[in-house]
Amino acid sequence: MDIRRSPDSQVLAANAAAYIAERINDSVAASGFCRLALAGGKTPEATYVRLREMKINWQQVEVWFGDERCLPVGDPERNDTMARQALLDHVPIPKDQIHPIPAELGALEAAGIYSKLLNHKPPLDLILLGLGEDGHTASIFPGQEIIEASSAAVAIFDAPKPPPERVSLSLTYIRDAGERIILAAGSGKQDALRRIQTGERLPAAIVGKAIWFVDEAAISN
Ligand code: 6PG
């Protein structure tokens, strides 16, 4: 595993933001564009705040989401609400280059709409992901039969992490991306990280090759 360790969550955010900015710029330099999926949850917030200050040509960036909770638009618990407050409302990215998951329509309808949108485009260049305490990533939880779904986005109805209804990029689609970056901070992630390091095939372990940015608190002694 390619694990990049930081002493604490703030240094992790700075290191991850610097690397993400570099990869966005590499993608823009190579193909004129970067198609990026953002992670949800709380961990990425500090990284997103740091990304505001990075030298990125946001006009050439398209933003998608790794997963979304089925809550009303603007709900503070939605992943796109956090991403807008931490980053997207602070950078000059054209509004039509931000593609929220329409999870307010319900998981089934939203997954169908998002899959259609994604299927008409090349794979994403870069996907940011988090790590759940049970080893989930995006909204792919351990033991879920949809884990090998072929569509780009999948509907989740029984997520153990509330809310139960969500939409997630599928494992297949995440694996097809150019690169994956997983952010994990805090002692709550120790168990999941150790299980993954010792070979347990938890969802975050089987997304394909990934670069892990972790802080010391997430590393078990
Ligand atoms: C979500 C996220 C989820 C998250 C992990 C870690 O909707 O909750 O997509 O996959 O990344 O649960 O969450 P924290 O960063 O808050 O620990």
Side-chain angles (χ1 to χ4, degrees):
M1 280 171 77
D2 183 340
I3 296 186
R4 318 261 170 116
R5 296 170 68 150
S6 300
D8 59 47
S9 60
Q10 283 308 315
V11 176
L12 183 161
N15 290 341
Y19 183 77
I20 293 163
E22 185 190 316
R23 302 300 293 140
I24 291 174
N25 292 332
D26 289 347
S27 174
V28 171
S31 69
F33 223 70
C34 178
R35 304 180 65 242
L36 162 73
L38 295 179
K42 293 183 177 52
T43 303
E45 195 165 358
T47 298
Y48 295 168
V49 172
R50 298 274 182 147
L51 274 175
R52 296 178 196 173
E53 318 308 326
M54 295 288 156
K55 213 174 156 343
I56 293 171
N57 184 351
W58 290 100
Q59 305 289 330
Q60 308 312 119
V61 178
E62 203 173 72
V63 164
W64 301 80
F65 291 85
D67 68 333
E68 189 53 272
R69 302 150 181 205
C70 291
L71 296 167
V73 172
D75 187 293
E77 287 304 305
R78 273 181 67 127
N79 290 328
D80 61 1
T81 303
M82 181 276 283
R84 287 182 191 282
Q85 288 169 350
L87 174 61
L88 301 176
D89 289 349
H90 305 271
V91 292
I93 182 169
K95 293 283 166 273
D96 62 357
Q97 287 171 209
I98 300 173
H99 302 280
I101 299 176
E104 64 282 2
L105 302 176
L108 218 47
E109 187 174 351
I113 292 168
Y114 218 55
S115 292
K116 275 204 190 75
L117 273 176
L118 286 166
N119 288 340
H120 287 101
K121 299 210 172 223
L124 296 178
D125 299 300
L126 180 59
I127 296 188
L128 308 186
L129 295 163
L131 174 67
E133 300 195 359
D134 60 359
H136 77 260
T137 194
S139 283
I140 303 165
F141 292 85
Q144 283 190 323
E145 62 292 341
I146 49 104
I147 210 156
E148 297 298 343
S150 58
S151 54
V154 289
I156 311 284
F157 294 100
D158 51 357
K161 176 179 182 182
E165 192 172 344
R166 294 158 167 260
V167 179
S168 180
L169 294 184
S170 65
L171 208 56
T172 315
Y173 192 78
I174 292 170
R175 285 176 183 148
D176 280 352
E179 184 173 6
R180 285 147 298 276
I181 293 174
I182 302 178
L183 308 176
S187 57
K189 308 301 168 76
Q190 274 189 17
D191 185 46
L193 191 55
R194 183 182 41 73
R195 289 165 63 190
I196 288 169
Q197 285 178 292
T198 50
E200 200 170 334
R201 291 176 57 74
L202 295 169
I206 56 174
V207 293
K209 197 169 169 306
I211 294 186
W212 291 73
F213 283 86
V214 305
D215 67 1
E216 288 306 319
I219 307 263
S220 14
N221 306 318

